[in-house]
Amino acid sequence: MVQISVVTAVALSVIASGTSAFAPGSHSHSHSHSPFATTQLKQSTNAQSTSEATSLDSKPLKREKILKEPALWEYNFGLQDPGLALPHGLEYGVSPPETYEITEEQIRTLEEDGVVHIKGVFDDSWIDYLRKSTGHQVDEPHFWAFAGTASRLYDYIQRNIWQTNKAFARFYQHSAMGHVLAQCGRTDEIRISTDLLMVNPNKGFKWHQDNQNGPITWEEGIRFWITMDETPKEYGAPVYLKGSHNNQAVDEQAVFVDIEVDGLENYKNERLEFRTMPGDMLIWHPRTIHKVDGPSDGIWTSYRRVLGGTAAKGGTTYHDKTGSGGVLSDLGKHGLKDGDKLESPFFPIVYPKFDPQEAQARDEGRVGRSPVDIASKLGGLAGKASGDKFFSFFQVLGSKAE
């Protein structure tokens, strides 16, 4: 019973963090909190702080979260469109995707260290576009973010955000992201396997490896982060174990990693910390062991907005992970079978250019899932082995990790 309860709890969280469009159209409700104007919020907070500090009977300032949990009735269903114009005068379906050249040294750094930090990939116009897209999403929360948000793992988290929010789909289709990832992976094609919009990881995540990468293998995938905010000095900076993607000690189904186990001696003290800034990209191998420390009290007083996920390289095949934890990042009704080439609107190509027919399927709400499909794919997750794997997920959670 304990194992089944664990599976159920985690599955619900990941499902709810997994985006889906049951049908075209959107149902919106007003939402009071907005991450649009960070500057104004900071100015307001600073003014209040000054006033309270100068009061003769002032008390220590209470830390308050910058975002509040949505009420149940504020969640939306279906497709959502923030109505944003693309930066730089780009026209959807007309302008080619932008490019951004990286160096051979950066590519080799990724291959040798398992992670590379590429600064300033996206300029102020793209940062503003992503922030507004995120602001709209937080103001109009989607139903599939409910469990992840209600569990307080993040202030807001939603998987496959591109499926329901048009602005993020357009970002993938026209930004330089695909070109950067293609260079890093030494590949001529990039598809989106799965993605996540993540706002403020309240508890932080202890040492772990990423195994929610969609229906692909370690070597077929490449992980990415696109940051919209300055990382606080005290917490929130990702830390990686240099070269740990080459380790043979950690089971591929594990999420939590005990860095004191035999086989990690050569990695555990080689730590790379990245204090990312707006417009930066972090790119890493899915097996690279890493952590992110949240604030000790779980309260973010500023924003840490990240668009991240896993891209699939050219030539990737579909791997049916039903019965394992990996299925939780592959819950769509795409009809692919084990061994098929990964070609589907559910895993859209973004480099060298997007496919208009795949994009149309998404825009018409045909890239989604139903509760029946979800139940069928999750049917094999109630066993003890799967429960053990999900227990590993819970071990990852925590504000601090040594």
Side-chain angles (χ1 to χ4, degrees):
M1 290 296 293
V2 174
Q3 297 294 348
I4 293 176
S5 298
V6 169
V7 172
T8 303
V10 180
L12 287 174
S13 292
V14 181
I15 292 169
S17 300
T19 312
S20 172
F22 285 122
S26 63
H27 309 277
S28 299
H29 304 281
S30 62
H31 203 50
S32 58
H33 55 267
S34 174
F36 286 1
T38 305
T39 303
Q40 286 86 338
L41 285 169
K42 287 183 177 179
Q43 289 174 344
S44 174
T45 302
N46 290 339
Q48 180 182 3
S49 299
T50 302
S51 175
E52 293 183 6
T54 54
S55 174
L56 291 178
D57 58 347
S58 63
K59 298 179 180 179
L61 295 179
K62 179 182 178 182
R63 285 168 52 83
E64 295 185 357
K65 294 173 67 68
I66 198 168
L67 290 180
K68 305 297 183 184
E69 181 183 335
L72 182 61
W73 57 84
E74 293 179 304
Y75 287 90
N76 302 274
F77 296 83
L79 301 179
Q80 297 176 297
D81 183 3
L84 300 174
L86 288 165
H88 307 154
L90 295 169
E91 294 185 48
Y92 170 68
V94 176
S95 304
E98 294 187 332
T99 60
Y100 186 92
E101 296 289 340
I102 63 174
T103 67
E104 177 64 22
E105 181 181 4
Q106 288 172 318
I107 299 171
R108 286 200 305 269
T109 295
L110 171 62
E111 293 171 344
E112 295 170 7
D113 295 352
V115 59
V116 65
H117 180 195
I118 303 177
K119 299 179 180 180
V121 176
F122 303 102
D123 64 12
D124 289 345
S125 295
W126 276 117
I127 295 166
D128 181 64
Y129 177 89
L130 288 173
R131 286 175 174 174
K132 287 178 178 177
S133 303
T134 302
H136 180 275
Q137 192 61 66
V138 172
D139 279 348
E140 303 290 344
H142 198 278
F143 171 75
W144 288 112
F146 170 71
T149 301
S151 69
R152 296 181 174 85
L153 297 179
Y154 282 80
D155 283 346
Y156 190 89
I157 181 170
Q158 186 175 334
R159 184 175 290 280
N160 288 348
I161 189 72
W162 66 272
Q163 288 185 2
T164 56
N165 188 313
K166 181 183 285 188
F168 289 104
R170 299 296 184 257
F171 170 78
Y172 290 147
Q173 292 158 348
H174 281 283
S175 76
M177 185 202 75
H179 185 225
V180 172
L181 293 175
Q183 293 172 85
C184 285
R186 300 190 190 272
T187 180
D188 59 359
E189 180 180 297
I190 288 292
R191 288 181 173 269
I192 300 299
S193 180
T194 187
D195 74 349
L196 281 167
L197 177 65
M198 299 166 282
V199 182
N200 299 352
N202 292 320
K203 295 181 179 299
F205 286 84
K206 295 188 289 186
W207 295 112
H208 65 284
Q209 63 182 3
D210 297 312
N211 64 4
Q212 292 297 319
N213 298 306
I216 63 178
T217 66
W218 297 113
E219 300 305 324
E220 291 172 331
I222 184 169
R223 296 283 296 179
F224 66 89
W225 254 30
I226 298 166
T227 54
M228 307 177 210
D229 302 286
E230 178 178 343
T231 304
K233 294 180 180 179
E234 300 82 9
Y235 52 83
V239 182
Y240 295 77
L241 298 188
K242 183 178 179 179
S244 59
H245 60 305
N246 295 316
N247 89 85
Q248 301 298 317
V250 182
D251 185 272
E252 67 176 21
Q253 293 296 331
V255 182
F256 169 75
V257 176
D258 179 359
I259 65 172
E260 299 301 326
V261 300
D262 292 341
L264 294 182
E265 299 87 352
N266 296 330
Y267 305 110
K268 65 180 182 180
N269 295 320
E270 293 288 330
R271 303 185 183 189
L272 301 172
E273 180 171 342
F274 302 100
R275 188 166 175 250
T276 53
M277 298 294 172
D280 290 356
M281 286 189 74
L282 268 181
I283 301 170
W284 68 96
H285 190 286
R287 287 209 72 183
T288 305
I289 299 167
H290 57 289
K291 69 167 183 170
V292 177
D293 290 334
S296 58
D297 57 3
I299 296 175
W300 283 80
T301 59
S302 61
Y303 289 111
R304 209 296 302 275
R305 294 164 286 194
V306 170
L307 179 63
T310 307
K313 303 174 187 176
T316 295
T317 57
Y318 176 79
H319 302 270
D320 187 351
K321 297 184 179 180
T322 300
S324 72
V327 75
L328 292 174
S329 53
D330 173 32
L331 292 173
K333 190 178 181 180
H334 43 66
L336 293 177
K337 293 180 171 43
D338 195 70
D340 287 350
K341 189 173 182 179
L342 193 74
E343 287 184 353
S344 167
F346 286 77
F347 311 102
I349 187 171
V350 295
Y351 183 85
K353 61 181 180 179
F354 75 92
D355 183 330
Q357 291 185 327
E358 290 182 351
Q360 183 178 359
R362 179 252 165 238
D363 292 346
E364 293 177 353
R366 291 186 279 119
V367 179
R369 63 196 72 146
S370 73
V372 174
D373 300 324
I374 293 172
S376 66
K377 284 199 171 184
L378 293 179
L381 293 182
K384 181 181 186 302
S386 293
D388 290 340
K389 293 165 191 171
F390 283 115
F391 181 70
S392 178
F393 172 84
F394 284 113
Q395 290 178 293
V396 172
L397 303 179
S399 295
K400 293 289 183 180
E402 297 302 328

